[in-house]
């Protein structure tokens, strides 16, 4: 009897490779706890030194961070052309940063939240762990999703 693997093992990425991949994207998903339940929000982020920063308004994300500062941010990418995907997760403490700091204002200029109006709070994630994996896709054709009419209309 032969051992037939259905999918190849994921490659575990070291910290340097994780940070390199995080610098190649600016969109991730922020995991927080809201009213005792996990919730996830899309955010635009940037690397700033050994942490990540993003902007947010005075809504659910900020309230969740004020109630429990432990968060997770996940970013990923899929290349159907090359049959590869990666995912990086940063877990740590989210703290409101001094938006008046000259260094942060430079970083902040590069942050473009999806809803730019009223995103006056600058949040820094101080990492406690950074982990990542790279995957070989077994059925790359399933990752090529054409735009439907509703999506296309929203982009035009």
């Amino acid at each position: 009897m032969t051992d037939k693997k259905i999918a190849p093992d994921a490659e575990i990425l070291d910290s340097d490779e994780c940070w390199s991949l995080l610098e190649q994207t600016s969109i991730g998903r922020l995991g927080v706890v809201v009213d005792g339940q996990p919730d996830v929000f899309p955010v635009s982020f940037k690397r700033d030194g050994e942490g990540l920063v993003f902007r947010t308004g005075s809504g659910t994300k900020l309230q969740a961070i004020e109630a429990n500062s432990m968060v997770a941010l996940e970013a990923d990418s899929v290349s159907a052309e090359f049959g590869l995907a990666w995912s990086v997760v940063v877990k740590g403490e989210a703290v409101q940063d001094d938006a008046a700091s000259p260094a942060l204002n430079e970083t902040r200029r590069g942050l473009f939240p999806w809803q730019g109006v009223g995103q006056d709070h600058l949040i820094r994630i101080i990492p406690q762990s950074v982990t990542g994996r790279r995957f070989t896709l077994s059925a790359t054709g399933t990752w090529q999703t054409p735009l439907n009419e509703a999506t296309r209309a929203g982009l035009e």
Side-chain angles (χ1 to χ4, degrees):
M1 184 181 224
T2 61
D3 182 24
K4 295 182 181 179
K5 281 191 166 186
I6 294 175
D9 291 334
E11 174 190 356
I12 306 298
L13 303 174
D14 65 26
S15 180
D16 289 339
E17 181 72 12
C18 290
W19 284 112
S20 176
L21 291 168
L22 287 170
E23 289 178 342
Q24 296 175 29
T25 189
S26 62
I27 303 295
R29 284 152 299 283
L30 180 73
V32 297
V33 176
V34 177
D35 296 328
Q37 297 294 316
D39 210 341
V40 179
F41 298 90
V43 294
S44 299
F45 70 90
K46 292 283 185 186
R47 179 178 180 180
D48 186 48
E50 290 300 315
L52 301 174
V53 292
F54 65 93
R55 291 169 53 191
T56 191
S58 297
T60 305
K61 286 190 297 288
L62 185 61
Q63 292 169 3
I65 289 167
E66 288 171 344
N68 180 352
S69 64
M70 298 310 297
V71 300
L73 185 136
E74 188 269 346
D76 56 37
S77 181
V78 175
S79 171
E81 179 181 359
F82 296 107
L84 294 173
W86 61 263
S87 173
V88 173
V89 176
V90 176
K91 295 178 185 174
E93 183 178 11
V95 296
Q96 201 161 169
D97 224 328
D98 178 11
S101 164
L104 290 176
N105 281 332
E106 288 176 22
T107 302
R108 186 176 180 165
R109 281 187 220 125
L111 293 172
F112 301 103
W114 293 1
Q115 294 178 310
V117 177
Q119 307 297 304
D120 299 328
H121 301 276
L122 189 63
I123 305 297
R124 174 179 299 279
I125 299 176
I126 302 167
Q128 293 181 350
S129 72
V130 179
T131 59
R133 290 176 173 68
R134 183 177 290 118
F135 306 88
T136 300
L137 303 176
S138 56
T140 59
T142 62
W143 291 96
Q144 296 174 338
T145 306
L147 292 176
N148 62 29
E149 292 303 314
T151 305
R152 182 175 288 114
L155 295 173
E156 294 175 344

